Amino acid sequence: MSRIHLDPLSPVTARWLLNAVLWRGAVALRITEVEAYTGADDPASHAWRGPTRRNAVMFGPPGRLYTYTMHGHVCANIICTPEGVGGGVLLRAGDVVDGLDEARQRRGQVPGVRLARGPGNLAKALGITMADAGADILHPAGLFRLEPRQTEPPISTGPRVGVSRAADVPWRFWVTGDPTVSTYRPAIPAGARRTDRGLHPGDGARSA
DNA sequence: AAGCGGATCTACT
DNA sequence: GTAGATCCGCTTC
């Protein structure tokens, strides 16, 4: 079997992850929204100030899950940089395509498109906790499994959500027009929006 | 030892 | 659209 290779450039891996399916146990998530973070050169990254106890996984080998808590929620990143560098991709939203019952049990009664909308909700739907820190998602025998995308979706880009530093860097990527993409915070000022391919009219992620 | 600010979410107006 | 709940890690005193 061929082992998946993650590109060390986090924006490249971020785009590549869109429409890929991440399994954790019996729950499967088609990834629809991500953000890229690099290391020492990215002031918005947790890795910016160098290794600490919290971000240690970021400086480990690629393919590992970097989890952190914030405001009482767990957020999950896939590390793609070589050991010692510190960069990865934050999983922001997805579409639950299998294990729906399990995801619903964890999330309670919310509309389907909101099951894994937002980093905290995504982690909760998949059952990701801090106990999953450092998990190797590329290991065939592990709890996690990553299925590469079957088709490349139309991709929109914009500034990362909730970051005050490097706010001009358009390293948030989402599947254009996908209803599961988080919208609770306006993404991009109209007119300043940068897209690469196929911005659909009716794109569900534009600001109000 | 204490304060601050953050890669958030939900509810309410 | 806006405000408030709510938690932990990192910086500073």
Side-chain angles (χ1 to χ4, degrees), chain A residues 17-147:
Chain A
L17 281 171
L18 291 176
N19 257 13
V21 174
L22 178 67
W23 290 77
R24 183 182 180 277
V27 179
L29 187 83
R30 180 179 61 86
I31 298 169
T32 59
E33 180 188 358
V34 295
E35 282 174 2
Y37 291 86
T38 58
D41 55 339
D42 182 3
S45 173
H46 287 174
W48 185 45
R49 298 171 196 252
T52 65
R53 189 192 209 114
R54 179 203 196 192
N55 65 17
V57 174
M58 290 191 83
F59 292 88
R64 300 286 182 82
L65 203 67
Y66 165 53
T67 56
Y68 66 92
T69 60
M70 133 154 308
H71 294 87
H73 303 274
V74 176
C75 301
N77 299 246
I78 294 175
I79 300 308
C80 64
T81 44
E83 204 153 358
V85 177
V89 177
L90 170 69
L91 306 177
R92 286 199 55 90
D95 181 19
V96 177
V97 292
D98 209 335
L100 214 55
D101 292 342
E102 203 174 323
R104 280 229 171 83
Q105 267 190 335
R106 296 189 180 118
R107 287 279 293 127
Q109 226 172 354
V110 300
V113 293
R114 288 198 194 170
L115 273 176
R117 171 185 287 180
N121 292 333
L122 182 152
K124 194 171 180 186
L126 278 180
I128 294 175
T129 69
M130 290 303 289
D132 292 306
D136 183 356
I137 66 161
L138 300 182
H139 195 283
L143 178 60
F144 290 87
R145 190 160 79 252
L146 184 63
E147 293 178 358

